[in-house]
Amino acid sequence: WLKQPSMATTSDPSVSPKVSLGAEVETKNFDAKAVPNYISTAPRSNLASFGASEIFEDLDAEASVRASPLGIVTSGCGRHWSLKADIEVEDVTVSSQYYDAFLSHEWGSSGFLKVLTILMIYNLRAATAFTLLSSLLFGVLRVYEILPDDESTVVLGHGVFFFVITFWQRIRECFKKPHLFFVDKLCIEQKDAKAKAQGILSLAAYLKRSKSLLILWSPQYFQRLWCTFELVSFLREQDVGVRIMPV
């Protein structure tokens, strides 16, 4: 991916949205359209070597995009989140007309922690429900002495929770369409410099195809101009659907 330049903070309240960690961003006091030139002044220094200069805000209406399913995004204990990972875009993405979520993050934080955060967001509800139901079942089996009535059976409930929160995205894919994500390194070609520059310049267009923006926040997040660019680009089009989760 790209080394992202640092960004000086601004004291202008008109470009500082209210946010709450772990929930959707409150953007009533944030007017992204008040900064219409932000996209045209997006970071370009890293693209100069590719001879690229134009930011693309739209894609052809019939053009498909490459989206990565949740099972791929969370596979391998975060191996896809390493800058050194050798990735073939065709192997980790599918063709789609939209993204369920655009994952915005900075590469300095732990890939493993990012995976844990995503699993908590998308699998916790199912894990809680399955744990509750299985605990009731195990309790009945203990009453009828089918299972031993001792503390060793408590471990079964813990096992159900960790199994479901780890693998629910794979189980869900057996009967329902998977959640589809934009993850920069997975969805943008990395080996062809020209295609890579084209993909980077199309970030605003990819954001338009996204139903929501999921920010995997770390202390360095707003020090990266690309991260701020992604947030502002999304808020220019819609003022809901932003979630910030710390990693």
Side-chain angles (χ1 to χ4, degrees), residues 165-182:
I165 202 169
T166 303
F167 298 108
W168 174 246
Q169 70 278 9
R170 296 292 190 181
I171 300 171
R172 184 180 182 275
E173 289 178 6
C174 295
F175 58 87
K176 202 169 184 180
K177 188 174 181 180
H179 293 295
L180 298 175
F181 296 87
F182 176 90

Side-chain angles (χ1 to χ4, degrees), residues 6 8 42 53 77 86 97 100 102 129 136 139 162 165 178 204 207 211 247:
S6 297
S53 60
C77 296
D86 185 17
Q97 292 295 317
D100 289 303
F102 185 108
L136 292 174
F162 286 109
I165 202 169
L207 284 158
K211 297 180 180 180
V247 297

Side-chain angles (χ1 to χ4, degrees), residues 66 68 73 80-81 99 101-103 105 107 181-188:
R66 304 303 301 182
S68 189
V73 173
H80 294 316
W81 296 85
Y99 300 107
F102 185 108
L103 295 186
H105 68 105
W107 283 97
F181 296 87
F182 176 90
V183 181
D184 42 24
K185 191 169 183 178
L186 302 187
C187 299
I188 293 179

Side-chain angles (χ1 to χ4, degrees), residues 113-132:
L113 291 180
K114 291 173 185 175
V115 169
L116 290 182
T117 302
I118 295 170
L119 291 177
M120 290 291 290
I121 294 171
Y122 289 95
N123 292 359
L124 181 59
R125 182 177 298 179
T128 303
F130 274 95
T131 302
L132 175 61

Side-chain angles (χ1 to χ4, degrees), residues 19-35:
V19 299
S20 54
L21 295 180
E24 291 191 351
V25 173
E26 180 184 349
T27 56
K28 293 180 181 178
N29 298 329
F30 179 73
D31 183 8
K33 293 181 175 61
V35 285

Side-chain angles (χ1 to χ4, degrees), residues 129-143:
F130 274 95
T131 302
L132 175 61
L133 293 175
S134 63
S135 296
L136 292 174
L137 174 61
F138 297 149
V140 172
L141 295 177
R142 289 174 65 176
V143 169

